[in-house]
Amino acid sequence: MSDSPAPSGRGPEAPAAPRRHARTLTAPGPDLSAPSTRGTHLAPQDPPPARTTGRPARALADPHLVHDPVAGDGPKDVVILGSTGSIGTQAIDLVLRNPDRFRVTGLSANGGRVALLAEQARRLRVRTVAVAREDVVPALREALAAEYGAGEPLPEILAGPDAATQLAASDAAHCHTVLNGITGSIGLAPTLAALEAGRTLALANKESLIVGGPLVKALAEPGQIIPVDSEHAALFQALAAGTRADVRKLVVTASGGPFRGRTREQLAHVTVEDALAHPTWAMGPVITINSATLVNKGLEVIEAHLLYDIPFDRIEVVVHPQSYVHSMVEFTDGSTLAQATPPDMRGPIAVGLGWPERVPDAAPAFDWSKASTWEFFPLDDEAFPSVGLARHVGELGGTAPAVFNAANEECVEAFRRGALPFNGIIDTVTRVVEEHGTPVTGTSLTVPDVLEAETWARARARELTAQTATAEAR
């Protein structure tokens, strides 16, 4: 559904630009995708490399490669998906403080906060606004009219379940970078659309990579994805110091969440309010509960494997309560590089939008004149078995990660409404994964395969949750 009352409020609407093929430019430094070769430099006149499926193993994210889909000077045009969520609002703060660097051309949101979406559209003067819920279009149109001056042209409205996907691929958006800040596996279709359209993808939606890893790998060009998760943005920056052959292991840090140090028995009766009380990060409710169960860290292990093509047995998780060190890379010579900042997602967002350039004052820095304590602890796999389960489904590959993620989303929702105890989240997910059996794997994996696996996993998780609730009521 498209509602186009008038061109953008930024003045006369520019004609839709022809789709440009991406140029992958080699930035200074070695190429992570191979032990001893640098990334390919494509001159502007060279034809783009053909997209293929079943490519050889390689890193999806490589700090030594710069994907440049739209050449030219001036602010970088950006589309923000999930603009009213945590990632989206912080990205907009960054953009508004750096108008000479970034310009937002389109916004998408689910539609639950139309007043905020309308305010964002007016402040950024976007061309297009997309909402997943068609029922909120009248309210959105009214909110936009209230925000904009009388007679001032309003942005185009896209509405429906595929609105964000349309926006990510739209030529009218004419953007350089798509920031995917949508929560959940519904972010897969916009991720694939942005890659297919040749955009640089600043990826905060880890679930789309988890559930559709082979599909993403089949579409992504070298350097096209820049991770926005704090842990993967940290690895991305640390990996700039060497080649893939220099890497001994990746070390992903975890805050430990609100229940660090508790035993499984002590976790049996924690409440939703307890789980939402994260000690260091301010995030949405689903990712905060995923942090409490450490499912979020398990997803990040799978994501690190897919992004950097490092085997699972060389990806380690360590608990770091202060959340200052976001991740580390250990090199073969024994040195370890850690990326550290105070907890603030605007830093990783700035890397995603600005790379290979730094955005000055994107986020606060440390005050090194003050004493501080940085602690590191081993992961308690008995109390938090989710990381081990995630490694297992990651090694299985195919549809197994989609089943893991979908079952977890259902179980988190059941926990939030009081239908499942805290420990029941990972217990139920484990049962669903076990019942799934041998997944569809390899280059034959399709979007319908993923959707079918997710549908089954959600239904089975709901069945098991209902059984648990019935048993506890007796």
Side-chain angles (χ1 to χ4, degrees):
M1 173 181 176
S2 174
D3 181 72
S4 311
S8 162
R10 274 204 301 230
E13 186 178 35
R19 181 170 300 176
R20 303 192 187 191
H21 290 297
R23 296 179 299 145
T24 301
L25 306 179
T26 304
D31 177 12
L32 276 185
S33 63
S36 60
T37 60
R38 289 186 176 273
T40 304
H41 179 102
L42 301 180
Q45 70 271 18
D46 290 341
R51 292 188 182 273
T52 62
T53 58
R55 287 174 169 157
R58 58 173 173 79
L60 278 175
D62 188 335
H64 308 107
L65 300 177
V66 180
H67 186 76
D68 188 18
V70 180
D73 298 325
K76 184 184 295 184
D77 284 341
V78 176
V79 162
I80 299 176
L81 309 181
S83 69
T84 59
S86 176
I87 293 294
T89 53
Q90 292 178 87
I92 288 172
D93 171 75
L94 183 74
V95 167
L96 290 172
R97 289 190 288 114
N98 293 276
D100 58 326
R101 289 175 174 267
F102 308 112
R103 176 173 55 207
V104 177
T105 61
L107 299 171
S108 88
N110 178 56
R113 305 172 74 185
V114 293
L116 176 58
L117 182 58
E119 178 190 351
Q120 291 174 340
R122 190 263 307 165
R123 293 186 72 187
L124 295 165
R125 299 294 172 179
V126 301
R127 300 183 184 123
T128 308
V129 175
V131 284
R133 293 173 48 190
E134 293 186 36
D135 62 298
V136 305
V137 170
L140 175 58
R141 191 181 296 117
E142 182 178 339
L144 287 168
E147 283 286 341
Y148 285 72
E152 193 173 2
L154 303 181
E156 173 191 24
I157 297 176
L158 302 175
D162 298 326
T165 303
Q166 290 177 264
L167 181 61
S170 172
D171 275 334
H174 185 49
C175 73
H176 179 287
T177 298
V178 172
L179 170 62
N180 188 347
I182 296 171
T183 298
S185 60
I186 57 171
L188 174 59
T191 283
L192 297 178
L195 293 173
E196 181 66 29
R199 316 298 188 210
T200 294
L201 177 64
L203 186 60
N205 174 251
K206 66 169 63 67
E207 293 88 352
S208 61
L209 187 57
I210 300 301
V211 305
L215 303 172
V216 174
K217 280 203 163 191
L219 281 176
E221 299 290 349
Q224 193 175 0
I225 295 178
I226 303 175
V228 172
D229 257 352
S230 61
E231 295 80 2
H232 300 99
L235 293 172
F236 185 81
Q237 294 171 79
L239 285 166
T243 70
R244 184 175 179 276
D246 295 329
V247 177
R248 177 176 290 155
K249 69 169 68 171
L250 307 181
V251 182
V252 179
T253 57
S255 70
F259 305 136
R260 179 181 64 84
R262 299 198 194 186
T263 65
R264 178 174 170 83
E265 290 72 25
Q266 291 171 328
L267 293 172
H269 302 294
V270 298
T271 66
V272 175
E273 290 71 23
D274 295 333
L276 290 174
H278 197 283
T280 53
W281 291 100
M283 305 174 290
V286 174
I287 192 171
T288 302
I289 293 172
N290 282 347
S291 179
T293 61
L294 267 69
V295 162
N296 196 49
K297 207 53 50 180
L299 295 176
E300 288 167 5
V301 168
I302 300 174
E303 190 178 6
H305 166 73
L306 292 168
L307 285 170
Y308 302 115
D309 193 35
I310 298 296
F312 283 101
D313 62 1
R314 290 164 53 197
I315 303 174
E316 184 177 339
V317 174
V318 63
V319 175
H320 171 49
Q322 292 79 22
S323 297
Y324 292 155
V325 173
H326 303 297
S327 278
M328 299 175 274
V329 175
E330 181 181 308
F331 292 96
T332 53
D333 63 356
S335 64
T336 297
L337 290 188
Q339 191 273 340
T341 61
D344 193 311
M345 279 304 299
R346 289 173 296 180
I349 292 168
V351 171
L353 296 183
W355 194 262
E357 297 177 354
R358 297 282 180 173
V359 180
D361 301 315
F366 288 114
D367 182 352
W368 296 107
S369 67
K370 296 180 180 179
S372 63
T373 299
W374 298 15
E375 300 172 293
F376 299 91
F377 301 93
L379 180 66
D380 184 347
D381 290 305
E382 183 177 347
F384 301 99
S386 51
V387 174
L389 181 61
R391 289 184 192 276
H392 172 65
V393 300
E395 289 169 344
L396 286 176
T399 51
V403 167
F404 173 79
N405 183 73
N408 178 69
E409 288 181 357
E410 291 295 326
C411 291
V412 167
E413 182 55 38
F415 171 67
R416 291 178 66 191
R417 65 174 186 269
L420 195 65
F422 182 80
N423 286 339
I425 296 174
I426 196 62
D427 290 347
T428 305
V429 173
T430 300
R431 285 192 60 183
V432 175
V433 168
E434 289 174 346
E435 292 180 16
H436 179 238
T438 304
V440 177
T441 59
T443 57
S444 62
L445 185 70
T446 64
V447 172
D449 290 333
V450 172
L451 297 178
E452 181 181 357
E454 282 195 321
T455 299
W456 174 84
R458 292 182 190 282
R460 186 57 181 145
R462 288 193 292 268
E463 291 172 0
L464 294 173
T465 297
Q467 293 173 13
T468 300
T470 301
E472 292 199 347
R474 290 173 181 168

